[in-house]
Amino acid sequence: TMAKSDPLRVHIYVPQGYSTQIKTGDKVGITLTEIPGKIFEGSIARTAGAIDTLTRTLQVVVDLPNPNGELLPGAYVQVAVKANGSGTGALTIPSNALLFRPEGTRVAIVNDGKVHLQPVVIGRELGVDVELASGVKAQDKLIINPSDSLSEGDAVSVIVPKDAKPAGSNTVPKGKAS
């Protein structure tokens, strides 16, 4: 059996939610458990061009230069693909800012000392954070951990912590309502 070891071809399967962010030529970082701390750089050579209907993933082929033969064909590696966000300018907020009401998902926005329950559409769940497809602007002030008893028009005062992210970042600044 013969194997070409330079370059190596690494086959990965990218979840459908990230498939639109995959572009031929994009760089990826590849690590191997047996060589801790070393990151090998590869690039996306091609994709299947279609989502697999059974797994809802996109097959991607990464070319990985291996001039010194450090990596062996058939080895398991970890591939880090840099996601460029959704490309829609979507904002990421903590999931504990969401209110689930009978009329739909809401966030509590503070405007002029009053609460407004704004409808939102969740784009992607990212663990402790969620990416919103619509409903919130970067300059909106959200209430984190809002009480279930919070109602439209309730009076609140905002205390912004010193470590809040500046406006224009892709994460909504966090504050406390009292």
Side-chain angles (χ1 to χ4, degrees), residues 61-159:
V61 177
V62 174
D63 281 344
L64 176 61
N66 189 29
N68 301 328
E70 289 180 87
L71 300 171
L72 297 174
Y76 283 99
V77 295
Q78 292 79 38
V79 180
V81 179
K82 292 188 176 41
N84 300 321
S86 65
T88 62
L91 293 173
T92 302
I93 67 166
S95 58
N96 62 348
L98 298 173
L99 287 164
F100 298 98
R101 300 284 169 98
E103 59 275 7
T105 307
R106 305 278 192 258
V107 293
I109 295 176
V110 178
N111 191 5
D112 295 327
K114 301 280 185 194
V115 172
H116 172 60
L117 300 180
Q118 176 68 31
V120 294
V121 176
I122 297 173
R124 290 189 295 178
E125 294 186 26
L126 306 169
V128 296
D129 294 328
V130 293
E131 184 179 90
L132 297 180
S134 66
V136 175
K137 297 181 288 266
Q139 64 270 22
D140 289 338
K141 294 177 183 156
L142 303 183
I143 298 175
I144 306 300
N145 291 322
S147 168
D148 286 335
S149 63
L150 197 63
S151 299
E152 182 76 28
D154 284 353
V156 295
S157 60
V158 176
I159 303 168

Side-chain angles (χ1 to χ4, degrees), residues 37-58:
K38 179 146 185 188
I39 300 173
F40 298 90
E41 188 175 287
S43 62
I44 295 174
R46 63 186 164 280
T47 72
I51 301 296
D52 182 308
T53 57
L54 295 176
T55 62
R56 293 291 170 208
T57 59
L58 173 69

